[in-house]
Amino acid sequence: MAGRAAMTPENLKARVWLESEFRRIGLQPVEGRFVHAWARARRAGADSVRGANVLGMVRGRTNAARIIVVSAHCDHVGTRNGQIYNGADDNASGTAAVLAMAAHFASHPPAHTILFALWDAEEIGLLGARAFVDAPTVPLASIAANVNLDMVSRNDRGELYAAGATPWPAMRPLLESLVPVASVKLVLGHDSGGGQNDWTDQSDQGAFNAARIPFVYFGVEDHPDYHKPTDDPERIQPGFFYRAARTIAGFVERLDAAVEGWPPR
Ligand SMILES: [Zn+2]
C-alpha cells in the first residue's frame, strides 16, 4: 500500500480493506457506517487535510451505554524519494492487533461496549483521533477509557511499554496485576514529565488525554528501523507480536471488568 500516507490512493485502498475486515468480523457500524470522513487543518490557516477513520463496535452485554475505545492508527508516512516506508511495526502491527481483538471480542462479548477505531493521519499530527474527539460519533461522556496501540511487534529485550498509569491512577492496579502473568515483559512508564520520554502526546491517546479521558498506550521503544524504509514485515518478531497482542487483549478484559466500579465521568 506504498506506505499508506494520508490522502493517497493507497491509504484509501488500505481503508477499504480494513472496512471489509470490520464487516467480515461482524462488528456493528457506528451511525450506520464504518467509514467516518473528516477534514481538518494541521494548523490555523493551513489547507485542510481530508481523511477518514474506520469505526466499528461490539455491543456490551450488560452495560452497552459505556464505551471503551480500542484503537490504532492505520496510516504511515508513505513514499519518499522513491523509497516505500511500509511501516510494518508503525503501525500495521497495532492495526492488525486491533483486528484480532475485534474478532476475539465479537465472539466473546464484553460487559461494556467496545468501539474499535482505526485512525487516519496520525503521522501528521494525530489528526484522525483529534477529529473524532472534536466531533465524536458517540457522546464523549460515555467513553470510559481509550486503549491505544502504536508499534507492538518487536523489541529485542521482549519489552512492551504501558503508558498511562501516572496520569490515570485507576489504570495502575489493572496494569500491575497483569505484569506477573503477562507473556511479555510489561513495563509501566513513559507517561510523565513532558519531553521526548513522555509518550502521552506522541500517539493518538494524546487526543483522549487532552479531553480528560483516561488512556493506556501500548508500544515498544524506538528501534533502528523506526520511520525508516526498513520498517518491513520481515523485521517484526512474530512470537513477541503474538504475546504482546495477547497481553493487550488481557488488559482490555481486565479494564472491561473494572469499569463497572468506576463512577460515571
Ligand atoms: Zn505510529
Side-chain angles (χ1 to χ4, degrees):
M1 306 294 179
R4 309 181 301 284
M7 291 207 297
T8 62
E10 295 84 4
N11 172 288
L12 171 60
K13 194 174 172 185
R15 181 201 309 156
V16 167
W17 181 76
L18 292 166
E19 180 191 10
S20 74
E21 285 296 288
F22 272 21
R23 187 170 283 117
R24 183 182 65 77
I25 288 165
L27 296 187
Q28 295 181 14
V30 179
E31 291 185 331
R33 61 195 194 282
F34 291 110
V35 173
H36 293 255
W38 47 262
R40 186 178 180 90
R42 293 178 71 170
R43 63 190 78 80
D47 289 343
S48 274
V49 172
R50 293 181 178 283
N53 302 324
V54 185
L55 309 178
M57 290 194 298
V58 171
R59 215 179 140 73
R61 285 189 326 273
T62 56
N63 193 345
R66 284 189 98 181
I67 297 170
I68 297 167
V69 176
V70 174
S71 63
H73 74 85
C74 57
D75 68 303
H76 191 48
V77 299
T79 302
R80 295 171 180 171
N81 302 320
Q83 287 191 295
I84 297 174
Y85 289 62
N86 282 312
D89 186 44
D90 186 8
N91 188 28
S93 70
T95 301
V98 167
L99 290 176
M101 282 193 278
H104 169 74
F105 286 105
S107 56
H108 302 83
H112 304 85
T113 294
I114 301 181
L115 172 64
F116 296 95
L118 299 173
W119 315 118
D120 196 2
E122 186 270 354
E123 299 285 7
I124 52 176
L126 324 183
L127 297 185
R130 292 193 201 281
F132 174 84
V133 168
D134 284 355
T137 43
V138 297
L140 280 193
S142 70
I143 300 175
N146 171 229
V147 179
N148 192 52
L149 286 64
D150 194 354
M151 300 171 56
V152 295
S153 65
R154 52 183 287 188
N155 181 267
D156 290 341
R157 293 195 296 245
E159 289 176 351
L160 177 69
Y161 267 91
T166 304
W168 300 104
M171 299 297 192
R172 187 171 295 281
L174 304 181
L175 289 166
E176 286 183 342
S177 69
L178 186 57
V179 167
V181 295
S183 53
V184 293
K185 190 170 175 216
L186 187 64
V187 186
L188 278 63
H190 282 299
D191 55 10
S192 65
Q196 271 302 110
N197 281 323
D198 184 345
W199 294 348
T200 301
D201 292 325
Q202 294 184 14
S203 185
D204 300 292
Q205 70 278 355
F208 287 82
N209 184 64
R212 306 313 295 154
I213 296 169
F215 75 88
V216 171
Y217 157 71
F218 289 99
V220 296
E221 289 277 9
D222 287 355
H223 45 70
D225 303 304
Y226 171 73
H227 278 220
K228 298 267 174 25
T230 49
D231 181 4
D232 281 337
E234 55 271 26
R235 302 217 176 165
I236 73 162
Q237 296 161 342
F240 174 81
F241 184 19
Y242 175 77
R243 293 192 302 275
R246 289 282 300 238
T247 298
I248 298 164
F251 174 75
V252 173
E253 288 175 341
R254 284 159 191 259
L255 178 63
D256 179 47
V259 161
E260 200 61 49
W262 291 8
R265 288 201 312 109

